[in-house]
Amino acid sequence: MSTASSVAAAAPVPASPSTQGQEALPTTNSSAASTLVPSSLSAQTSASASPNLSAYHSPAGESQQPETTTAPLVNASKLASAAAKARLQLVQRTLGDAKNISQGSQIKKMVAEKQHRVAVIGSGNWGSAIAKIVAENTKQYPDLFHEEVKMWVFEENYQLAESHPRYDAEKHSKPVKLTSIINDIHENVKYLPNIALPKNIIAVPDVVDVVKDATILVFNVPHQFVSKICDQIQGHNLPYAKAISCIKGVDVSPEGISLFSDVIGRRLGIYCGALSGANIATEVALEKLSETTIAYQPPTELKPEQVVPSEFPPVDHATFKTLFHRPYFHVRCISDVAGVSLGGALKNIVALAAGFVEGRGWGDNAKAAIMRVGLLEMRKFGKMFFEGSCRTATFTEESCGVADLITSCNGGRNHKCAKLMIETGKSIEDIEKEYLNGQKLQGTSTAKEVNEFLRTRGKEAEFPLFTAVYKILTGEYSVDEIPSLIENTENMRS
């Protein structure tokens, strides 16, 4: 792992009290606001039909909140188009306070001169599922995005089974490049089989080619490979590109801890937010209802080259909600990047513990106890090491917190592999090789790194469940010791 920056340096700007618990909108000093409305929305007849747009956009590329006033709302019938009406209704509903919209505010329909190019870095099952969502939305909103989505694929040869419905003996009698298969039959047959991918996803083996023209980068790779991939990209990305990390982990060493959003941002010289939630990839790809949380809070001051040119649509909460929200994949945007990132990382440690007790046959009560203590430790870790930026509500109210914890402790890969480890007596490494088709567990490496971080600071005893999971993996503890180790948790309630 790369040497991480200090905790203080890694912590993002905290959300203001006025934005906590809602879809926070970055503010500027301007008292007026303009709205960017994709022409593709004009056919939609109500705010409920366009849930992706939830903030005002200014032509300068920043989100704005209109000045607070007691004046009545703007009369929607006076707006120029049905799309603008729908968007205003949604903004009013999202803000939840009629007083926040000034009678004097002018809502204008604007179409950007240029559209964002979106690139997805990563093509495992979660990476492919996210690419599917993104490609569906880039096609639906052509005024905001270029339709084509490049997806970086780690190139390998793959033998397509003769039983596959798209098998062609002339093409597939021998192993062929995975990118060729994806682009030919529009399916990631190795990592997301039996799921049709949009035809506007282009699989590309060269990560530099994927990112070089992209204004929005979506990272979705195993956290062990983030530093190496950033080394390859560095110097080739646009300086004003913005990024979202879907990576569920943290960059931890004995010297410090960094969020992967910070690692990516620091390496590439751009701002990076985070996406995490109760998102089992296959269920999302099958379009079963899911929720996720996006955290995005760029600094108010940027270097001139980092500012998104005004001819592009602004990159803000509304744009990211438009890019990721689907009828089956609901998005909430907040500003707590630390909380979203930590929730996605630390819940994997708890999921291992849940798998241990289930493998032991202790039942649902025991698993519920593990989840309760795990949530306390997740919250305590965030408040202790990201004080001032990490919010309790992120863990208790958002999909990236308690919802992701519940899902991961019942159906995630960390839970399943830990359960098999106890049931079979095999090592976790052997289980990983046998059942994950070349993919990697995130919980085992996170447990090791977090334990090293806590041990260096003399904090192991304050996180008994995190400590127990690591020592069970190494053989120092047995699962039977968990009850006594987590018996006293009163000190975590503050």
Side-chain angles (χ1 to χ4, degrees):
M1 303 297 294
S2 61
T3 301
S5 63
S6 67
V7 171
V13 178
S16 65
S18 64
T19 64
Q20 293 185 3
Q22 64 177 335
E23 294 178 2
L25 304 178
T27 60
T28 68
N29 294 326
S30 174
S31 61
S34 299
T35 307
L36 178 72
V37 182
S39 62
S40 55
L41 289 180
S42 60
Q44 299 180 3
T45 58
S46 69
S48 61
S50 56
N52 300 329
L53 305 173
S54 60
Y56 287 102
H57 288 173
S58 71
E62 296 178 339
S63 293
Q64 299 181 341
Q65 287 179 327
E67 61 188 25
T68 300
T69 178
T70 57
L73 295 175
V74 176
N75 188 338
S77 65
K78 295 181 180 180
L79 297 177
S81 69
K85 294 177 189 177
R87 186 173 174 84
L88 177 59
Q89 290 168 4
L90 179 59
V91 171
Q92 293 169 354
R93 187 182 65 194
T94 301
L95 293 176
D97 183 0
K99 295 180 180 179
N100 283 339
I101 300 184
S102 167
Q103 185 179 25
S105 296
Q106 296 182 357
I107 312 303
K108 299 179 181 179
K109 179 180 177 181
M110 300 179 63
V111 177
E113 298 175 21
K114 295 184 178 181
Q115 291 74 47
H116 289 294
R117 291 188 181 274
V118 184
V120 177
I121 298 94
S123 57
N125 62 345
W126 184 218
S128 297
I130 282 291
K132 175 179 179 291
I133 288 170
V134 166
E136 289 169 354
N137 282 328
T138 59
K139 184 175 183 178
Q140 183 171 348
Y141 301 107
D143 289 337
L144 288 176
F145 309 108
H146 282 277
E147 182 175 336
E148 181 183 273
V149 174
K150 289 185 178 180
M151 178 177 73
W152 176 65
V153 176
F154 179 78
E155 191 68 284
E156 53 188 306
N157 291 322
Y158 185 83
Q159 178 62 63
L160 191 66
E162 291 185 23
S163 58
H164 193 282
R166 297 291 301 278
Y167 179 84
D168 183 334
E170 293 185 3
K171 296 180 180 179
H172 307 131
S173 59
K174 297 180 180 179
V176 296
K177 301 295 184 183
L178 183 57
T179 52
S180 297
I181 296 177
I182 294 172
N183 291 331
D184 181 26
I185 68 174
H186 307 292
E187 177 188 340
N188 188 337
V189 289
K190 180 168 185 179
Y191 296 115
L192 195 66
N194 306 314
I195 300 294
L197 297 178
K199 294 182 180 180
N200 55 319
I201 292 177
I202 308 300
V204 179
D206 182 356
V207 71
V208 171
D209 184 36
V210 169
V211 306
K212 64 181 181 181
D213 297 319
T215 52
I216 296 178
L217 308 177
V218 181
F219 283 83
N220 208 329
V221 296
H223 77 255
Q224 301 95 320
F225 306 123
V226 171
S227 294
K228 181 178 180 180
I229 291 170
C230 285
D231 286 342
Q232 297 175 48
I233 295 173
Q234 194 172 34
H236 299 286
N237 59 281
L238 295 173
Y240 53 84
K242 300 296 181 282
I244 291 290
S245 168
C246 304
I247 301 163
K248 294 189 175 183
V250 285
D251 189 17
V252 185
S253 72
E255 291 76 29
I257 180 170
S258 287
L259 312 176
F260 277 114
S261 56
D262 288 332
V263 173
I264 292 167
R266 191 167 56 246
R267 291 290 192 91
L268 304 185
I270 60 177
Y271 179 77
C272 183
L275 180 153
S276 186
N279 306 143
I280 293 177
T282 303
E283 293 185 11
V284 174
L286 289 170
E287 302 187 4
K288 297 181 178 181
L289 177 63
S290 302
E291 293 182 318
T292 202
T293 311
I294 292 176
Y296 187 77
Q297 181 75 11
T300 55
E301 295 184 4
L302 296 171
K303 296 178 181 178
E305 65 271 18
Q306 294 177 319
V307 176
V308 177
S310 59
E311 57 264 31
F312 286 97
V315 182
D316 56 12
H317 283 186
T319 298
F320 280 122
K321 194 163 186 176
T322 307
L323 182 60
F324 288 101
H325 187 103
R326 299 296 296 164
Y328 61 88
F329 191 70
H330 294 180
V331 174
R332 273 179 55 85
C333 294
I334 64 174
S335 300
D336 183 6
V337 180
V340 170
S341 300
L342 288 172
L346 299 177
K347 59 90 183 181
N348 286 326
I349 304 176
V350 185
L352 290 172
F356 292 156
V357 301
E358 188 167 340
R360 207 57 152 175
W362 289 353
D364 292 336
N365 291 340
K367 188 159 67 172
I370 291 295
M371 293 164 66
R372 183 191 71 83
V373 174
L375 184 61
L376 288 174
E377 292 196 12
M378 289 165 60
R379 173 193 173 277
K380 182 175 181 178
F381 191 96
K383 301 293 283 186
M384 181 178 291
F385 299 113
F386 289 84
E387 184 179 5
S389 64
C390 203
R391 297 172 49 238
T392 294
T394 303
F395 296 104
T396 58
E397 299 177 10
E398 300 295 342
S399 180
C400 62
V402 63
D404 196 9
L405 178 66
I406 293 169
T407 295
S408 299
C409 290
N410 285 282
R413 69 177 68 166
N414 291 282
H415 161 265
K416 290 178 180 178
C417 288
K419 179 175 178 286
L420 287 167
M421 170 186 162
I422 301 304
E423 290 176 339
T424 65
K426 296 179 180 179
S427 71
I428 196 71
E429 292 81 11
D430 288 341
I431 294 294
E432 182 182 64
K433 292 176 183 177
E434 188 173 346
Y435 289 94
L436 292 190
N437 193 29
Q439 298 190 90
K440 297 292 183 182
L441 287 175
Q442 303 295 295
T444 51
S445 55
T446 301
K448 178 178 183 294
E449 293 157 5
V450 167
N451 182 260
E452 290 176 353
F453 177 79
L454 294 173
R455 186 174 65 248
T456 301
R457 286 153 181 77
K459 299 289 187 181
E460 280 184 298
E462 295 190 42
F463 296 87
L465 185 63
F466 289 175
T467 300
V469 168
Y470 172 67
K471 294 189 175 182
I472 289 169
L473 289 171
T474 61
E476 187 175 343
Y477 286 176
S478 73
V479 175
D480 293 336
E481 294 178 77
I482 288 180
S484 62
L485 292 170
I486 65 170
E487 192 168 2
N488 297 310
T489 57
E490 286 79 2
N491 65 333
M492 295 186 205
R493 295 177 182 172
S494 58

